[in-house]
Amino acid sequence: DIVLTQSPASLAVSLGQRATISCRASQSVSISTYSYMHWYQQKPGQPPKLLIKYASNLESGVPARFSGSGSGTDFTLDIHPVEEEDTATYYCQHSWEIPYTFGGGTKLEIK
Amino acid sequence: QVTLKESGPGILQPSQTLSLTCSFSGFSLSTAGMGVNWIRQPSGKGLEWLAHIYWDDDKHYNPSLKSRLTISKDTSRNQVFLKISSVDTADTATYYCARTVITTWYFDVWGAGTTVTVSS
């Protein structure tokens, strides 16, 4: 199975500043210009919500302050400027092969 | 508008078989490319993909649980089912169903989840 390691496990960012979350895969999940890595946001008591698909493509309706980058084994989710409503846990997920796996999650607190 | 809703028994005893239903609207599993996944999340923990089924009845399972999982669908009723046999306390979790399209490979719409507790 491909192991996704997220860092940090938690972070606190001041309102209006930047939050950066990393996801490292145990093997490459990219081929050509496609990276099979996706990002989700989960607020307490809610299901995950798709934010970013294929590493850098913003899902429809997601605010432009969210962005994703990376390829191969190293990926990043950036949120800038952070808002109060961004308080949540963020997960990366690959779809390179079965089984699909998720990172362990990063809990974001807004100061 | 695409929506999914999970239903299940709430609580069951160890060694029993867990039966879950995902009822959906806004898309059809008779449409080429459409699929439904099951994903679970123990309270306070991370997400685990379990299985998916596609419009053409193609199915895949997480190898770590494959021997215990059975996924099926009723296309006419817009429902997908998941059975997990021989449950134990480690199967206590919130179970989600989520849509996917075979050309996209991500989970674009999720249900609210159903909580399952395995306890004697």
Side-chain angles (χ1 to χ4, degrees):
Chain A
D1 298 4
I2 296 174
V3 177
L4 300 181
T5 303
Q6 284 185 237
S7 61
S10 64
L11 77 162
V13 177
S14 297
L15 191 67
Q17 298 305 300
R18 178 184 300 274
T20 298
I21 298 169
S22 296
C23 177
R24 174 164 289 177
S26 58
Q27 68 178 72
S28 177
V29 296
S30 301
I31 184 168
S32 184
T33 59
Y34 287 94
S35 291
Y36 293 84
M37 184 65 75
H38 320 294
W39 290 93
Y40 300 84
Q41 175 194 65
Q42 186 178 33
K43 297 182 178 180
Q46 296 184 19
K49 172 189 172 184
L50 178 66
L51 295 177
I52 302 282
K53 52 201 179 186
Y54 297 112
S56 61
N57 296 277
L58 201 65
E59 174 69 343
S60 176
V62 174
R65 64 180 183 274
F66 291 90
S67 64
S69 62
S71 65
T73 60
D74 292 306
F75 298 88
T76 300
L77 173 68
D78 279 294
I79 312 169
H80 181 259
V82 296
E83 297 187 4
E84 288 278 0
E85 65 181 27
D86 300 334
T87 297
T89 300
Y90 294 83
Y91 294 94
C92 55
Q93 174 246 326
H94 82 83
S95 56
W96 180 259
E97 63 181 16
I98 298 293
Y100 306 139
T101 59
F102 293 83
T106 295
K107 190 171 184 178
L108 174 63
E109 173 197 339
I110 309 304
K111 292 188 289 186
Chain B
Q1 181 189 6
V2 173
T3 64
L4 303 95
K5 185 175 182 179
E6 307 86 349
S7 58
I11 187 166
L12 70 167
Q13 295 184 336
S15 80
Q16 290 186 320
T17 295
L18 169 61
S19 294
L20 299 166
T21 299
C22 175
S23 302
F24 57 86
S25 63
F27 70 100
S28 174
L29 277 178
S30 62
T31 301
M34 290 296 168
V36 172
N37 298 260
W38 285 98
I39 298 148
R40 71 180 180 181
Q41 183 175 38
S43 180
K45 297 189 178 180
L47 298 155
E48 179 180 32
W49 176 81
L50 299 177
H52 66 211
I53 188 166
Y54 282 101
W55 87 103
D56 59 356
D57 212 37
D58 189 26
K59 308 166 188 173
H60 291 95
Y61 298 99
N62 191 319
S64 67
L65 291 153
K66 184 175 182 178
S67 63
R68 299 172 52 215
L69 301 178
T70 304
I71 193 169
S72 60
K73 63 181 174 68
D74 184 332
T75 301
S76 64
R77 297 178 64 186
N78 284 347
Q79 291 182 319
V80 170
F81 311 100
L82 183 71
K83 293 187 185 297
I84 306 179
S85 64
S86 304
V87 298
D88 67 15
T89 55
D91 296 307
T92 294
T94 296
Y95 287 77
Y96 297 101
C97 59
R99 188 185 75 160
T100 192
V101 178
I102 199 165
T103 55
T104 63
W105 312 109
Y106 48 77
F107 313 125
D108 65 347
V109 186
W110 296 59
T114 186
T115 300
V116 174
T117 302
V118 180
S119 175
S120 56

